[in-house]
């Protein structure tokens, strides 16, 4: 039943008709639990609250799959303004971007130029930029873009994401290792066929552990992005056993999910970064969060009843 619900929610995340209806009732659906607002000001306010609790942050202006060059350029300009808005904040505010929002499906050249604009601004402000990984169809193009930007700006300026549910991910880690890449390791949140992705959770979890171990043993900068307490406990034991310095890795979690766990880890002395999404295009992100843990659907239903 849970697998069916997850599959259904992922399909709905790409349904434009449902999105149109849902966006009319965003607050009533409980979207504000996972997305603090639609404006840069909303995002900065959330950042300040999180940082007061000892949590580092990453900002993400939500959006993907733009249809025109004008939209892609506008999205890049918005990312630049977002970076500029963080200039007076703690230096430990990152930016996450999606290449489809910056024109990847329109023109790789356009997307590359938009990314160069963003990374140049980030470098001038002493900020770090991470390229989010999207669905499998765009996986290789994303890695190619990442390599090109590393060649130009250096691997300290930019990072990307590797997804544990893909069969190819361990090979990707090995291929990227000469760059000493800064990687965010995740399980994966898109619906992919069994021809390219592990269909069973236990296999994803095992591959995830192997990825974490390989990246940390190579002493490459690593973000372990999970809310799975079994994985978190495993990582704690692994870094202690292998004497992995805290300076090269951190836990990462999503805004609104397991906030008590986030704060507890900080109290234990671990570095934790919270991914803070914002913007009008929140629907797809919101539906993927529900799909990751279908029990969250009950939260939405309660929100509707209370409204």
């Amino acid at each position: 039943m849970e697998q069916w619900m997850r599959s259904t929610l992922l399909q709905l995340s790409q349904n434009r008709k449902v999105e149109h209806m849902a966006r009319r009732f965003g607050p009533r659906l409980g979207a504000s639990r996972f997305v603090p607002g639609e404006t840069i000001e909303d995002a900065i306010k959330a950042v300040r609250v999180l940082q007061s609790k000892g949590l580092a942050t990453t900002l993400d202006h939500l959006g993907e799959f733009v249809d025109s060059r004008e939209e892609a350029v506008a999205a890049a300009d918005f990312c630049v303004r977002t970076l500029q808005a963080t200039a007076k904040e703690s230096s430990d505010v990152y930016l996450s971007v999606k290449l489809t929002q910056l024109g990847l499906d329109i023109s790789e050249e356009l997307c590359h130029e938009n990314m160069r604009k963003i990374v140049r601004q980030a470098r001038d402000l002493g900020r770090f930029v991470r390229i989010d990984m999207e669905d499998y169809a765009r996986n290789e193009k994303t890695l190619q873009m990442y390599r090109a930007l590393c060649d130009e700006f250096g691997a300290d300026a930019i990072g990307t994401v590797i997804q544990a549910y893909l069969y190819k991910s361990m090979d990707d880690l090995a291929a990227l290792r000469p760059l000493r890449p800064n990687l965010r390791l995740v399980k994966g949140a898109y619906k992919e066929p069994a021809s390219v992705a592990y269909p069973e959770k236990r296999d994803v979890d095992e591959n995830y552990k192997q990825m974490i171990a390989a990246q940390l043993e190579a002493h490459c900068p690593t973000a372990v992005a999970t809310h799975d307490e079994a994985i978190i406990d495993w990582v704690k034991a692994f870094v202690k056993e292998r004497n992995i310095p805290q300076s090269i890795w951190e836990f990462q979690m999503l805004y609104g999910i397991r906030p008590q766990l986030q704060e507890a880890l900080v109290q234990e002395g671990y570095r934790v970064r919270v991914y803070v999404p914002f913007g009008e295009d929140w629907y797809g992100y919101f539906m993927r969060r529900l799909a990751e843990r279908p029990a969250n659907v009950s939260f939405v239903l309660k929100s509707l009843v209370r409204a």
Side-chain angles (χ1 to χ4, degrees):
M1 179 64 178
E2 182 171 309
Q3 185 62 32
W4 173 84
M5 184 176 292
R6 181 175 187 274
S7 178
T8 300
L9 289 167
L10 287 174
Q11 290 175 359
L12 290 175
S13 74
Q14 299 177 20
N15 188 303
R16 295 301 184 187
K17 290 183 179 179
V18 176
E19 175 183 2
H20 179 73
M21 291 187 292
R23 288 181 64 169
R24 295 175 55 196
F25 304 103
R28 291 180 62 191
L29 288 171
S32 59
R33 171 177 174 175
F34 305 106
V35 182
E38 296 188 348
T39 68
I40 295 175
E41 291 74 22
D42 292 333
I44 294 297
K45 183 178 178 180
V47 163
R48 290 172 179 167
V49 171
L50 292 165
Q51 291 187 336
S52 72
K53 299 176 181 180
L55 294 155
T57 53
T58 291
L59 288 174
D60 174 35
H61 178 231
L62 294 171
E64 48 197 302
F65 308 118
V66 300
D67 297 319
S68 70
R69 297 180 69 89
E70 291 75 18
E71 287 180 293
V73 171
D77 289 342
F78 195 95
C79 287
V80 168
R81 292 199 299 276
T82 300
L83 285 165
Q84 292 169 344
T86 70
K88 296 181 180 179
E89 306 303 318
S90 161
S91 60
D92 204 4
V93 182
Y94 291 176
L95 179 70
S96 288
V97 297
K98 283 186 170 60
L99 295 185
T100 55
Q101 187 185 32
L102 300 171
L104 181 66
D105 292 350
I106 300 169
S107 161
E108 291 180 42
E109 181 180 357
L110 169 67
C111 183
H112 190 185
E113 186 53 42
N114 282 334
M115 278 301 304
R116 294 176 76 245
K117 182 193 306 183
I118 292 167
V119 179
R120 277 197 300 265
Q121 179 66 85
R123 182 182 58 186
D124 291 345
L125 293 170
R127 304 296 185 193
F128 178 84
V129 177
R130 190 175 306 280
I131 302 172
D132 281 344
M133 188 61 74
E134 301 178 68
D135 60 353
Y136 182 79
R138 296 162 180 87
N139 182 277
E140 277 300 323
K141 288 184 179 180
T142 299
L143 293 177
Q144 290 169 9
M145 185 74 68
Y146 170 63
R147 290 188 184 96
L149 291 165
C150 283
D151 288 344
E152 183 172 358
F153 294 97
D156 291 338
I158 191 164
T160 192
V161 179
I162 301 293
Q163 301 157 316
Y165 66 175
L166 297 181
Y167 301 136
K168 70 192 288 287
S169 290
M170 283 296 290
D171 290 338
D172 288 338
L173 279 181
L176 291 172
R177 192 156 299 130
L179 296 173
R180 198 173 180 272
N182 187 320
L183 298 177
R184 184 175 194 255
L185 305 182
V186 304
K187 292 187 181 181
Y190 291 85
K191 182 177 174 58
E192 304 290 1
S195 58
V196 301
Y198 293 103
E200 299 295 333
K201 179 182 181 299
R202 63 178 180 273
D203 295 323
V204 176
D205 287 353
E206 182 57 32
N207 200 43
Y208 192 39
K209 291 178 182 178
Q210 291 182 26
M211 285 168 45
I212 294 168
Q215 180 76 352
L216 288 175
E217 288 183 327
H219 280 237
C220 294
T222 306
V224 180
T226 185
H227 304 94
D228 185 332
E229 288 194 65
I231 295 290
I232 289 170
D233 289 342
W234 179 87
V235 171
K236 289 179 181 179
F238 181 85
V239 297
K240 182 177 180 180
E241 177 187 341
R242 304 299 175 91
N243 293 315
I244 304 295
Q246 182 73 38
S247 59
I248 70 164
W249 74 279
E250 64 186 25
F251 286 119
Q252 291 192 358
M253 298 187 185
L254 302 177
Y255 180 86
I257 300 181
R258 308 297 302 276
Q260 294 85 2
L261 176 58
Q262 295 170 14
E263 294 176 35
L265 288 168
V266 169
Q267 292 301 313
E268 291 176 34
Y270 294 101
R271 180 176 177 77
V272 182
R273 185 176 304 277
V274 178
Y275 180 98
V276 182
F278 71 100
E280 297 179 1
D281 196 6
W282 52 265
Y283 172 76
Y285 174 86
F286 176 56
M287 294 300 286
R288 287 195 293 273
R289 299 295 75 77
L290 296 183
E292 284 177 344
R293 189 170 183 267
N296 284 329
V297 173
S298 65
F299 165 81
V300 173
L301 295 175
K302 290 176 183 177
S303 297
L304 288 171
V305 171
R306 288 196 298 266

